[in-house]
Amino acid sequence: KQEVTQIPAALSVPEGENLVLNCSFTDSAIYNLQWFRQDPGKGLTSLLLIQSSQREQTSGRLNASLDKSSGRSTLYIAASQPGDSATYLCAVSAPPNFGNEKLTFGTGTRLTIIP
Amino acid sequence: KAGVTQTPRYLIKTRGQQVTLSCSPISGHRSVSWYQQTPGQGLQFLFEYFSETQRNKGNFPGRFSGRQFSNSRSEMNVSTLELGDSALYLCASSRTSDSYEQYFGPGTRLTVT
């Protein structure tokens, strides 16, 4: 069974710093990996989706990398801002028609940017 | 383009009752997935519906069920509610069942007392 872990569970950094969030998964047979952010009491917003054949994706100040062989992904946030404060979740998907889980989510990292 | 909508947003029920939650996907999306989020277990996949058929199902008891209508709107039902069913229930829609680019709704916060 796929297991996804995110470390650390919580992170506080001063505004303006660059930071890295980590995600690891146990089964490398993934279809893709996604990073989401969730604001308190709200739904999820998709940030980046990396196909299994890709190594990284970039969107603005965000860069996500994927190393399938080692079962790891990182989300790099440049020049952090208070508005980046949220919980960040990574999720992996199995290939279509393979297994029952649509998305398997990590435990999340709660990020606080200190002004 | 309107996003995914879920109703109601908040719900309080008593143990033993049943509840029905509704999800309207983005126009043109035919796949709807449901997830349960709790502090202890995190986000867990419940089931997915595509073209009115259940395509995938997570490891939840039979008290959790769902359906999808011809307009792609979906409902999930929980019977004989337990305290542990208190959670944020999220639905997500995607264009097809094989599309993993999912768009999430704001969720329904269910509290069981």
Side-chain angles (χ1 to χ4, degrees):
Chain A
K1 182 188 172 190
Q2 179 73 270
E3 292 184 4
V4 182
T5 305
Q6 292 183 246
I7 295 174
L11 182 65
S12 293
V13 300
E15 179 180 0
E17 283 199 3
N18 304 325
L19 59 100
V20 174
L21 306 180
N22 297 296
C23 171
S24 61
F25 47 95
T26 54
D27 187 344
S28 62
I30 66 169
Y31 190 60
N32 60 43
L33 182 145
Q34 297 180 66
W35 283 93
F36 295 88
R37 74 172 274 168
Q38 184 176 31
D39 294 286
K42 297 193 177 178
L44 278 64
T45 301
S46 179
L47 298 173
L48 290 165
L49 183 152
I50 312 176
Q51 301 289 356
S52 61
S53 57
Q54 297 176 315
R55 297 281 295 182
E56 65 178 326
Q57 278 285 352
T58 298
S59 176
R61 295 182 295 108
L62 306 179
N63 176 276
S65 68
L66 173 64
D67 184 342
K68 268 185 56 177
S69 60
S70 66
R72 292 181 183 177
S73 175
T74 61
L75 178 66
Y76 174 83
I77 302 177
S80 58
Q81 303 171 356
D84 295 331
S85 297
T87 295
Y88 290 79
L89 295 140
C90 72
V92 299
S93 60
N97 302 315
F98 185 89
N100 292 326
E101 298 284 330
K102 185 74 172 178
L103 288 175
T104 303
F105 281 87
T107 44
T109 294
R110 188 169 60 208
L111 175 65
T112 302
I113 306 300
I114 305 164
Chain B
K1 200 175 194 181
V4 178
T5 58
Q6 292 186 246
T7 56
R9 292 293 312 281
Y10 303 92
L11 205 50
I12 300 175
K13 288 286 189 178
T14 305
R15 264 185 310 176
Q17 288 185 317
Q18 75 166 17
V19 67
T20 299
L21 311 182
S22 180
C23 172
S24 293
I26 291 172
S27 178
H29 286 194
R30 295 168 60 195
S31 170
V32 174
S33 298
W34 289 90
Y35 297 84
Q36 180 196 64
Q37 186 175 32
T38 60
Q41 298 296 320
L43 261 161
Q44 294 183 290
F45 172 74
L46 280 156
F47 31 65
E48 180 205 6
Y49 285 87
F50 178 74
S51 293
E52 303 177 63
T53 302
Q54 187 179 86
R55 290 291 300 266
N56 295 291
K57 189 178 191 306
N59 294 322
F60 278 82
R63 300 185 297 107
F64 292 82
S65 62
R67 60 177 176 168
Q68 187 179 35
F69 302 95
S70 58
N71 62 357
S72 295
R73 189 177 70 86
S74 177
E75 290 181 345
M76 68 163 280
N77 183 276
V78 188
S79 62
T80 319
L81 283 166
E82 300 176 0
L83 294 179
D85 297 333
S86 294
L88 180 67
Y89 289 88
L90 295 164
C91 84
S93 76
S94 58
R95 194 166 296 279
T96 67
S97 182
D98 292 340
S99 170
Y100 287 83
E101 191 155 18
Q102 297 192 311
Y103 297 83
F104 282 78
T108 294
R109 171 74 64 186
L110 172 65
T111 302
V112 182
T113 62

PDB file of all heavy atoms in Angstrom, chain B residues 10-46:
ATOM      1  N   TYR B  10     -21.708  23.492   6.234  1.00  0.00           N
ATOM      2  CA  TYR B  10     -21.577  23.022   7.613  1.00  0.00           C
ATOM      3  C   TYR B  10     -22.818  22.224   7.996  1.00  0.00           C
ATOM      4  O   TYR B  10     -23.916  22.533   7.543  1.00  0.00           O
ATOM      5  CB  TYR B  10     -21.414  24.196   8.592  1.00  0.00           C
ATOM      6  CG  TYR B  10     -20.239  25.084   8.268  1.00  0.00           C
ATOM      7  CD1 TYR B  10     -20.397  26.199   7.445  1.00  0.00           C
ATOM      8  CD2 TYR B  10     -18.975  24.800   8.782  1.00  0.00           C
ATOM      9  CE1 TYR B  10     -19.304  27.000   7.136  1.00  0.00           C
ATOM     10  CE2 TYR B  10     -17.883  25.608   8.477  1.00  0.00           C
ATOM     11  CZ  TYR B  10     -18.060  26.702   7.655  1.00  0.00           C
ATOM     12  OH  TYR B  10     -16.987  27.489   7.349  1.00  0.00           O
ATOM     13  N   LEU B  11     -22.589  21.201   8.815  1.00  0.00           N
ATOM     14  CA  LEU B  11     -23.679  20.308   9.185  1.00  0.00           C
ATOM     15  C   LEU B  11     -23.398  19.723  10.562  1.00  0.00           C
ATOM     16  O   LEU B  11     -22.271  19.304  10.837  1.00  0.00           O
ATOM     17  CB  LEU B  11     -23.746  19.187   8.141  1.00  0.00           C
ATOM     18  CG  LEU B  11     -25.024  18.426   7.879  1.00  0.00           C
ATOM     19  CD1 LEU B  11     -26.186  19.374   7.657  1.00  0.00           C
ATOM     20  CD2 LEU B  11     -24.830  17.545   6.657  1.00  0.00           C
ATOM     21  N   ILE B  12     -24.418  19.702  11.397  1.00  0.00           N
ATOM     22  CA  ILE B  12     -24.293  19.056  12.695  1.00  0.00           C
ATOM     23  C   ILE B  12     -25.353  17.974  12.779  1.00  0.00           C
ATOM     24  O   ILE B  12     -26.545  18.247  12.557  1.00  0.00           O
ATOM     25  CB  ILE B  12     -24.467  20.065  13.856  1.00  0.00           C
ATOM     26  CG1 ILE B  12     -23.394  21.152  13.775  1.00  0.00           C
ATOM     27  CG2 ILE B  12     -24.381  19.336  15.208  1.00  0.00           C
ATOM     28  CD1 ILE B  12     -23.559  22.247  14.811  1.00  0.00           C
ATOM     29  N   LYS B  13     -24.914  16.759  13.085  1.00  0.00           N
ATOM     30  CA  LYS B  13     -25.831  15.633  13.170  1.00  0.00           C
ATOM     31  C   LYS B  13     -25.572  14.871  14.468  1.00  0.00           C
ATOM     32  O   LYS B  13     -24.529  15.029  15.113  1.00  0.00           O
ATOM     33  CB  LYS B  13     -25.614  14.681  11.974  1.00  0.00           C
ATOM     34  CG  LYS B  13     -26.098  15.235  10.652  1.00  0.00           C
ATOM     35  CD  LYS B  13     -27.609  15.221  10.573  1.00  0.00           C
ATOM     36  CE  LYS B  13     -28.099  15.568   9.203  1.00  0.00           C
ATOM     37  NZ  LYS B  13     -29.583  15.508   9.118  1.00  0.00           N
ATOM     38  N   THR B  14     -26.520  14.015  14.801  1.00  0.00           N
ATOM     39  CA  THR B  14     -26.426  13.206  16.012  1.00  0.00           C
ATOM     40  C   THR B  14     -26.050  11.782  15.627  1.00  0.00           C
ATOM     41  O   THR B  14     -26.436  11.305  14.539  1.00  0.00           O
ATOM     42  CB  THR B  14     -27.764  13.220  16.762  1.00  0.00           C
ATOM     43  OG1 THR B  14     -28.128  14.578  17.019  1.00  0.00           O
ATOM     44  CG2 THR B  14     -27.677  12.466  18.070  1.00  0.00           C
ATOM     45  N   ARG B  15     -25.343  11.120  16.506  1.00  0.00           N
ATOM     46  CA  ARG B  15     -24.990   9.713  16.289  1.00  0.00           C
ATOM     47  C   ARG B  15     -26.210   8.900  15.904  1.00  0.00           C
ATOM     48  O   ARG B  15     -27.282   9.051  16.497  1.00  0.00           O
ATOM     49  CB  ARG B  15     -24.395   9.120  17.567  1.00  0.00           C
ATOM     50  CG  ARG B  15     -22.908   9.131  17.614  1.00  0.00           C
ATOM     51  CD  ARG B  15     -22.399   8.424  18.850  1.00  0.00           C
ATOM     52  NE  ARG B  15     -23.040   8.871  20.066  1.00  0.00           N
ATOM     53  CZ  ARG B  15     -22.807   8.337  21.256  1.00  0.00           C
ATOM     54  NH1 ARG B  15     -21.979   7.325  21.375  1.00  0.00           N
ATOM     55  NH2 ARG B  15     -23.414   8.797  22.321  1.00  0.00           N
ATOM     56  N   GLY B  16     -26.059   8.026  14.921  1.00  0.00           N
ATOM     57  CA  GLY B  16     -27.141   7.162  14.495  1.00  0.00           C
ATOM     58  C   GLY B  16     -27.945   7.727  13.325  1.00  0.00           C
ATOM     59  O   GLY B  16     -28.630   6.970  12.633  1.00  0.00           O
ATOM     60  N   GLN B  17     -27.868   9.048  13.129  1.00  0.00           N
ATOM     61  CA  GLN B  17     -28.589   9.637  12.008  1.00  0.00           C
ATOM     62  C   GLN B  17     -27.851   9.352  10.700  1.00  0.00           C
ATOM     63  O   GLN B  17     -26.761   8.787  10.684  1.00  0.00           O
ATOM     64  CB  GLN B  17     -28.714  11.158  12.207  1.00  0.00           C
ATOM     65  CG  GLN B  17     -29.685  11.557  13.285  1.00  0.00           C
ATOM     66  CD  GLN B  17     -29.866  13.073  13.349  1.00  0.00           C
ATOM     67  OE1 GLN B  17     -28.887  13.840  13.264  1.00  0.00           O
ATOM     68  NE2 GLN B  17     -31.110  13.519  13.478  1.00  0.00           N
ATOM     69  N   GLN B  18     -28.463   9.758   9.614  1.00  0.00           N
ATOM     70  CA  GLN B  18     -27.799   9.666   8.332  1.00  0.00           C
ATOM     71  C   GLN B  18     -27.693  11.059   7.725  1.00  0.00           C
ATOM     72  O   GLN B  18     -28.403  11.990   8.138  1.00  0.00           O
ATOM     73  CB  GLN B  18     -28.540   8.737   7.375  1.00  0.00           C
ATOM     74  CG  GLN B  18     -29.805   9.301   6.779  1.00  0.00           C
ATOM     75  CD  GLN B  18     -30.285   8.464   5.592  1.00  0.00           C
ATOM     76  OE1 GLN B  18     -29.874   7.324   5.404  1.00  0.00           O
ATOM     77  NE2 GLN B  18     -31.149   9.028   4.783  1.00  0.00           N
ATOM     78  N   VAL B  19     -26.788  11.210   6.764  1.00  0.00           N
ATOM     79  CA  VAL B  19     -26.560  12.521   6.176  1.00  0.00           C
ATOM     80  C   VAL B  19     -26.276  12.374   4.683  1.00  0.00           C
ATOM     81  O   VAL B  19     -25.711  11.363   4.249  1.00  0.00           O
ATOM     82  CB  VAL B  19     -25.377  13.232   6.884  1.00  0.00           C
ATOM     83  CG1 VAL B  19     -24.055  12.515   6.610  1.00  0.00           C
ATOM     84  CG2 VAL B  19     -25.292  14.690   6.477  1.00  0.00           C
ATOM     85  N   THR B  20     -26.684  13.364   3.921  1.00  0.00           N
ATOM     86  CA  THR B  20     -26.408  13.402   2.485  1.00  0.00           C
ATOM     87  C   THR B  20     -25.715  14.706   2.146  1.00  0.00           C
ATOM     88  O   THR B  20     -26.200  15.788   2.518  1.00  0.00           O
ATOM     89  CB  THR B  20     -27.701  13.280   1.665  1.00  0.00           C
ATOM     90  OG1 THR B  20     -28.329  12.026   1.959  1.00  0.00           O
ATOM     91  CG2 THR B  20     -27.388  13.346   0.177  1.00  0.00           C
ATOM     92  N   LEU B  21     -24.584  14.594   1.478  1.00  0.00           N
ATOM     93  CA  LEU B  21     -23.811  15.768   1.060  1.00  0.00           C
ATOM     94  C   LEU B  21     -23.854  15.845  -0.463  1.00  0.00           C
ATOM     95  O   LEU B  21     -23.884  14.808  -1.137  1.00  0.00           O
ATOM     96  CB  LEU B  21     -22.354  15.641   1.527  1.00  0.00           C
ATOM     97  CG  LEU B  21     -22.130  15.271   2.988  1.00  0.00           C
ATOM     98  CD1 LEU B  21     -20.632  15.230   3.285  1.00  0.00           C
ATOM     99  CD2 LEU B  21     -22.838  16.220   3.914  1.00  0.00           C
ATOM    100  N   SER B  22     -23.813  17.062  -0.978  1.00  0.00           N
ATOM    101  CA  SER B  22     -23.937  17.255  -2.414  1.00  0.00           C
ATOM    102  C   SER B  22     -22.715  17.960  -2.989  1.00  0.00           C
ATOM    103  O   SER B  22     -22.102  18.801  -2.327  1.00  0.00           O
ATOM    104  CB  SER B  22     -25.197  18.067  -2.713  1.00  0.00           C
ATOM    105  OG  SER B  22     -25.331  18.272  -4.104  1.00  0.00           O
ATOM    106  N   CYS B  23     -22.401  17.613  -4.227  1.00  0.00           N
ATOM    107  CA  CYS B  23     -21.256  18.203  -4.919  1.00  0.00           C
ATOM    108  C   CYS B  23     -21.630  18.457  -6.375  1.00  0.00           C
ATOM    109  O   CYS B  23     -22.093  17.548  -7.075  1.00  0.00           O
ATOM    110  CB  CYS B  23     -20.067  17.246  -4.854  1.00  0.00           C
ATOM    111  SG  CYS B  23     -18.652  17.748  -5.857  1.00  0.00           S
ATOM    112  N   SER B  24     -21.435  19.686  -6.821  1.00  0.00           N
ATOM    113  CA  SER B  24     -21.647  20.024  -8.231  1.00  0.00           C
ATOM    114  C   SER B  24     -20.299  20.298  -8.874  1.00  0.00           C
ATOM    115  O   SER B  24     -19.586  21.219  -8.447  1.00  0.00           O
ATOM    116  CB  SER B  24     -22.559  21.246  -8.356  1.00  0.00           C
ATOM    117  OG  SER B  24     -23.852  20.947  -7.917  1.00  0.00           O
ATOM    118  N   PRO B  25     -19.914  19.510  -9.865  1.00  0.00           N
ATOM    119  CA  PRO B  25     -18.584  19.668 -10.463  1.00  0.00           C
ATOM    120  C   PRO B  25     -18.530  20.880 -11.391  1.00  0.00           C
ATOM    121  O   PRO B  25     -19.550  21.497 -11.695  1.00  0.00           O
ATOM    122  CB  PRO B  25     -18.409  18.372 -11.254  1.00  0.00           C
ATOM    123  CG  PRO B  25     -19.803  17.997 -11.639  1.00  0.00           C
ATOM    124  CD  PRO B  25     -20.664  18.419 -10.482  1.00  0.00           C
ATOM    125  N   ILE B  26     -17.341  21.180 -11.839  1.00  0.00           N
ATOM    126  CA  ILE B  26     -17.149  22.220 -12.849  1.00  0.00           C
ATOM    127  C   ILE B  26     -17.853  21.779 -14.124  1.00  0.00           C
ATOM    128  O   ILE B  26     -17.835  20.587 -14.477  1.00  0.00           O
ATOM    129  CB  ILE B  26     -15.645  22.444 -13.101  1.00  0.00           C
ATOM    130  CG1 ILE B  26     -15.011  23.085 -11.859  1.00  0.00           C
ATOM    131  CG2 ILE B  26     -15.401  23.290 -14.334  1.00  0.00           C
ATOM    132  CD1 ILE B  26     -13.506  23.172 -11.906  1.00  0.00           C
ATOM    133  N   SER B  27     -18.466  22.737 -14.798  1.00  0.00           N
ATOM    134  CA  SER B  27     -19.181  22.433 -16.024  1.00  0.00           C
ATOM    135  C   SER B  27     -18.259  21.716 -17.017  1.00  0.00           C
ATOM    136  O   SER B  27     -17.139  22.157 -17.283  1.00  0.00           O
ATOM    137  CB  SER B  27     -19.699  23.741 -16.642  1.00  0.00           C
ATOM    138  OG  SER B  27     -20.350  23.491 -17.864  1.00  0.00           O
ATOM    139  N   GLY B  28     -18.745  20.585 -17.535  1.00  0.00           N
ATOM    140  CA  GLY B  28     -17.945  19.822 -18.492  1.00  0.00           C
ATOM    141  C   GLY B  28     -17.131  18.704 -17.859  1.00  0.00           C
ATOM    142  O   GLY B  28     -16.617  17.834 -18.560  1.00  0.00           O
ATOM    143  N   HIS B  29     -17.000  18.736 -16.542  1.00  0.00           N
ATOM    144  CA  HIS B  29     -16.285  17.671 -15.837  1.00  0.00           C
ATOM    145  C   HIS B  29     -17.250  16.525 -15.551  1.00  0.00           C
ATOM    146  O   HIS B  29     -18.357  16.745 -15.069  1.00  0.00           O
ATOM    147  CB  HIS B  29     -15.687  18.191 -14.529  1.00  0.00           C
ATOM    148  CG  HIS B  29     -14.493  19.051 -14.724  1.00  0.00           C
ATOM    149  ND1 HIS B  29     -13.650  19.387 -13.681  1.00  0.00           N
ATOM    150  CD2 HIS B  29     -13.993  19.638 -15.825  1.00  0.00           C
ATOM    151  CE1 HIS B  29     -12.675  20.155 -14.141  1.00  0.00           C
ATOM    152  NE2 HIS B  29     -12.865  20.323 -15.448  1.00  0.00           N
ATOM    153  N   ARG B  30     -16.794  15.304 -15.817  1.00  0.00           N
ATOM    154  CA  ARG B  30     -17.669  14.165 -15.648  1.00  0.00           C
ATOM    155  C   ARG B  30     -17.251  13.240 -14.514  1.00  0.00           C
ATOM    156  O   ARG B  30     -17.947  12.286 -14.195  1.00  0.00           O
ATOM    157  CB  ARG B  30     -17.738  13.388 -16.967  1.00  0.00           C
ATOM    158  CG  ARG B  30     -18.391  14.184 -18.093  1.00  0.00           C
ATOM    159  CD  ARG B  30     -18.189  13.522 -19.438  1.00  0.00           C
ATOM    160  NE  ARG B  30     -18.771  12.190 -19.459  1.00  0.00           N
ATOM    161  CZ  ARG B  30     -18.484  11.293 -20.395  1.00  0.00           C
ATOM    162  NH1 ARG B  30     -17.626  11.572 -21.352  1.00  0.00           N
ATOM    163  NH2 ARG B  30     -19.059  10.104 -20.367  1.00  0.00           N
ATOM    164  N   SER B  31     -16.090  13.503 -13.931  1.00  0.00           N
ATOM    165  CA  SER B  31     -15.608  12.658 -12.838  1.00  0.00           C
ATOM    166  C   SER B  31     -15.680  13.432 -11.532  1.00  0.00           C
ATOM    167  O   SER B  31     -15.281  14.599 -11.464  1.00  0.00           O
ATOM    168  CB  SER B  31     -14.163  12.230 -13.098  1.00  0.00           C
ATOM    169  OG  SER B  31     -13.612  11.614 -11.948  1.00  0.00           O
ATOM    170  N   VAL B  32     -16.223  12.787 -10.513  1.00  0.00           N
ATOM    171  CA  VAL B  32     -16.282  13.384  -9.179  1.00  0.00           C
ATOM    172  C   VAL B  32     -15.697  12.391  -8.182  1.00  0.00           C
ATOM    173  O   VAL B  32     -16.080  11.223  -8.150  1.00  0.00           O
ATOM    174  CB  VAL B  32     -17.729  13.724  -8.776  1.00  0.00           C
ATOM    175  CG1 VAL B  32     -17.774  14.201  -7.320  1.00  0.00           C
ATOM    176  CG2 VAL B  32     -18.304  14.794  -9.696  1.00  0.00           C
ATOM    177  N   SER B  33     -14.757  12.868  -7.386  1.00  0.00           N
ATOM    178  CA  SER B  33     -14.151  12.050  -6.331  1.00  0.00           C
ATOM    179  C   SER B  33     -14.469  12.667  -4.984  1.00  0.00           C
ATOM    180  O   SER B  33     -14.567  13.890  -4.866  1.00  0.00           O
ATOM    181  CB  SER B  33     -12.629  11.975  -6.504  1.00  0.00           C
ATOM    182  OG  SER B  33     -12.284  11.374  -7.727  1.00  0.00           O
ATOM    183  N   TRP B  34     -14.577  11.832  -3.988  1.00  0.00           N
ATOM    184  CA  TRP B  34     -14.861  12.269  -2.623  1.00  0.00           C
ATOM    185  C   TRP B  34     -13.710  11.865  -1.707  1.00  0.00           C
ATOM    186  O   TRP B  34     -13.151  10.762  -1.828  1.00  0.00           O
ATOM    187  CB  TRP B  34     -16.156  11.638  -2.110  1.00  0.00           C
ATOM    188  CG  TRP B  34     -17.401  12.172  -2.739  1.00  0.00           C
ATOM    189  CD1 TRP B  34     -18.026  11.715  -3.865  1.00  0.00           C
ATOM    190  CD2 TRP B  34     -18.200  13.257  -2.260  1.00  0.00           C
ATOM    191  NE1 TRP B  34     -19.139  12.452  -4.111  1.00  0.00           N
ATOM    192  CE2 TRP B  34     -19.284  13.405  -3.153  1.00  0.00           C
ATOM    193  CE3 TRP B  34     -18.105  14.128  -1.165  1.00  0.00           C
ATOM    194  CZ2 TRP B  34     -20.276  14.385  -2.978  1.00  0.00           C
ATOM    195  CZ3 TRP B  34     -19.093  15.092  -0.995  1.00  0.00           C
ATOM    196  CH2 TRP B  34     -20.155  15.215  -1.898  1.00  0.00           C
ATOM    197  N   TYR B  35     -13.396  12.774  -0.765  1.00  0.00           N
ATOM    198  CA  TYR B  35     -12.330  12.535   0.197  1.00  0.00           C
ATOM    199  C   TYR B  35     -12.810  12.934   1.584  1.00  0.00           C
ATOM    200  O   TYR B  35     -13.616  13.856   1.745  1.00  0.00           O
ATOM    201  CB  TYR B  35     -11.087  13.355  -0.141  1.00  0.00           C
ATOM    202  CG  TYR B  35     -10.444  13.021  -1.461  1.00  0.00           C
ATOM    203  CD1 TYR B  35     -10.908  13.580  -2.640  1.00  0.00           C
ATOM    204  CD2 TYR B  35      -9.368  12.131  -1.517  1.00  0.00           C
ATOM    205  CE1 TYR B  35     -10.319  13.267  -3.856  1.00  0.00           C
ATOM    206  CE2 TYR B  35      -8.774  11.819  -2.730  1.00  0.00           C
ATOM    207  CZ  TYR B  35      -9.259  12.393  -3.889  1.00  0.00           C
ATOM    208  OH  TYR B  35      -8.669  12.075  -5.086  1.00  0.00           O
ATOM    209  N   GLN B  36     -12.279  12.246   2.588  1.00  0.00           N
ATOM    210  CA  GLN B  36     -12.539  12.593   3.974  1.00  0.00           C
ATOM    211  C   GLN B  36     -11.241  13.119   4.588  1.00  0.00           C
ATOM    212  O   GLN B  36     -10.187  12.502   4.416  1.00  0.00           O
ATOM    213  CB  GLN B  36     -13.002  11.351   4.752  1.00  0.00           C
ATOM    214  CG  GLN B  36     -13.306  11.637   6.215  1.00  0.00           C
ATOM    215  CD  GLN B  36     -13.375  10.368   7.055  1.00  0.00           C
ATOM    216  OE1 GLN B  36     -12.389   9.651   7.207  1.00  0.00           O
ATOM    217  NE2 GLN B  36     -14.553  10.078   7.602  1.00  0.00           N
ATOM    218  N   GLN B  37     -11.325  14.232   5.281  1.00  0.00           N
ATOM    219  CA  GLN B  37     -10.145  14.782   5.943  1.00  0.00           C
ATOM    220  C   GLN B  37     -10.387  14.911   7.432  1.00  0.00           C
ATOM    221  O   GLN B  37     -11.316  15.600   7.869  1.00  0.00           O
ATOM    222  CB  GLN B  37      -9.778  16.146   5.360  1.00  0.00           C
ATOM    223  CG  GLN B  37      -8.459  16.692   5.913  1.00  0.00           C
ATOM    224  CD  GLN B  37      -8.031  17.995   5.254  1.00  0.00           C
ATOM    225  OE1 GLN B  37      -8.864  18.795   4.851  1.00  0.00           O
ATOM    226  NE2 GLN B  37      -6.732  18.204   5.135  1.00  0.00           N
ATOM    227  N   THR B  38      -9.562  14.238   8.221  1.00  0.00           N
ATOM    228  CA  THR B  38      -9.617  14.323   9.686  1.00  0.00           C
ATOM    229  C   THR B  38      -8.226  14.618  10.216  1.00  0.00           C
ATOM    230  O   THR B  38      -7.224  14.305   9.556  1.00  0.00           O
ATOM    231  CB  THR B  38     -10.106  13.003  10.309  1.00  0.00           C
ATOM    232  OG1 THR B  38      -9.197  11.954   9.941  1.00  0.00           O
ATOM    233  CG2 THR B  38     -11.506  12.638   9.853  1.00  0.00           C
ATOM    234  N   PRO B  39      -8.139  15.222  11.397  1.00  0.00           N
ATOM    235  CA  PRO B  39      -6.814  15.514  11.966  1.00  0.00           C
ATOM    236  C   PRO B  39      -5.964  14.261  12.170  1.00  0.00           C
ATOM    237  O   PRO B  39      -4.757  14.286  11.970  1.00  0.00           O
ATOM    238  CB  PRO B  39      -7.147  16.182  13.305  1.00  0.00           C
ATOM    239  CG  PRO B  39      -8.520  16.733  13.118  1.00  0.00           C
ATOM    240  CD  PRO B  39      -9.228  15.768  12.215  1.00  0.00           C
ATOM    241  N   GLY B  40      -6.603  13.149  12.511  1.00  0.00           N
ATOM    242  CA  GLY B  40      -5.839  11.945  12.805  1.00  0.00           C
ATOM    243  C   GLY B  40      -5.418  11.156  11.580  1.00  0.00           C
ATOM    244  O   GLY B  40      -4.298  10.646  11.515  1.00  0.00           O
ATOM    245  N   GLN B  41      -6.279  11.066  10.598  1.00  0.00           N
ATOM    246  CA  GLN B  41      -6.019  10.234   9.415  1.00  0.00           C
ATOM    247  C   GLN B  41      -5.625  11.033   8.183  1.00  0.00           C
ATOM    248  O   GLN B  41      -5.227  10.454   7.165  1.00  0.00           O
ATOM    249  CB  GLN B  41      -7.256   9.385   9.084  1.00  0.00           C
ATOM    250  CG  GLN B  41      -7.656   8.418  10.182  1.00  0.00           C
ATOM    251  CD  GLN B  41      -6.597   7.381  10.437  1.00  0.00           C
ATOM    252  OE1 GLN B  41      -5.970   6.861   9.515  1.00  0.00           O
ATOM    253  NE2 GLN B  41      -6.351   7.080  11.701  1.00  0.00           N
ATOM    254  N   GLY B  42      -5.749  12.326   8.247  1.00  0.00           N
ATOM    255  CA  GLY B  42      -5.422  13.132   7.076  1.00  0.00           C
ATOM    256  C   GLY B  42      -6.488  12.994   6.002  1.00  0.00           C
ATOM    257  O   GLY B  42      -7.653  12.736   6.286  1.00  0.00           O
ATOM    258  N   LEU B  43      -6.067  13.157   4.767  1.00  0.00           N
ATOM    259  CA  LEU B  43      -6.978  13.082   3.627  1.00  0.00           C
ATOM    260  C   LEU B  43      -7.018  11.663   3.098  1.00  0.00           C
ATOM    261  O   LEU B  43      -6.001  11.098   2.720  1.00  0.00           O
ATOM    262  CB  LEU B  43      -6.488  14.004   2.513  1.00  0.00           C
ATOM    263  CG  LEU B  43      -7.152  15.355   2.389  1.00  0.00           C
ATOM    264  CD1 LEU B  43      -6.306  16.301   1.589  1.00  0.00           C
ATOM    265  CD2 LEU B  43      -8.517  15.195   1.734  1.00  0.00           C
ATOM    266  N   GLN B  44      -8.235  11.103   3.043  1.00  0.00           N
ATOM    267  CA  GLN B  44      -8.374   9.738   2.548  1.00  0.00           C
ATOM    268  C   GLN B  44      -9.430   9.674   1.459  1.00  0.00           C
ATOM    269  O   GLN B  44     -10.490  10.291   1.570  1.00  0.00           O
ATOM    270  CB  GLN B  44      -8.760   8.800   3.699  1.00  0.00           C
ATOM    271  CG  GLN B  44      -7.676   8.643   4.749  1.00  0.00           C
ATOM    272  CD  GLN B  44      -8.084   7.655   5.823  1.00  0.00           C
ATOM    273  OE1 GLN B  44      -8.961   7.916   6.632  1.00  0.00           O
ATOM    274  NE2 GLN B  44      -7.447   6.504   5.820  1.00  0.00           N
ATOM    275  N   PHE B  45      -9.121   8.905   0.437  1.00  0.00           N
ATOM    276  CA  PHE B  45     -10.007   8.750  -0.710  1.00  0.00           C
ATOM    277  C   PHE B  45     -11.196   7.874  -0.342  1.00  0.00           C
ATOM    278  O   PHE B  45     -11.033   6.786   0.212  1.00  0.00           O
ATOM    279  CB  PHE B  45      -9.212   8.131  -1.853  1.00  0.00           C
ATOM    280  CG  PHE B  45     -10.014   7.719  -3.045  1.00  0.00           C
ATOM    281  CD1 PHE B  45     -10.528   8.663  -3.914  1.00  0.00           C
ATOM    282  CD2 PHE B  45     -10.247   6.381  -3.300  1.00  0.00           C
ATOM    283  CE1 PHE B  45     -11.263   8.283  -5.019  1.00  0.00           C
ATOM    284  CE2 PHE B  45     -10.973   5.980  -4.406  1.00  0.00           C
ATOM    285  CZ  PHE B  45     -11.483   6.934  -5.271  1.00  0.00           C
ATOM    286  N   LEU B  46     -12.394   8.364  -0.662  1.00  0.00           N
ATOM    287  CA  LEU B  46     -13.621   7.600  -0.409  1.00  0.00           C
ATOM    288  C   LEU B  46     -14.045   6.822  -1.650  1.00  0.00           C
ATOM    289  O   LEU B  46     -14.129   5.604  -1.642  1.00  0.00           O
ATOM    290  CB  LEU B  46     -14.742   8.537   0.022  1.00  0.00           C
ATOM    291  CG  LEU B  46     -14.715   8.974   1.483  1.00  0.00           C
ATOM    292  CD1 LEU B  46     -15.467  10.293   1.651  1.00  0.00           C
ATOM    293  CD2 LEU B  46     -15.334   7.908   2.360  1.00  0.00           C
TER     294      LEU B  46
END
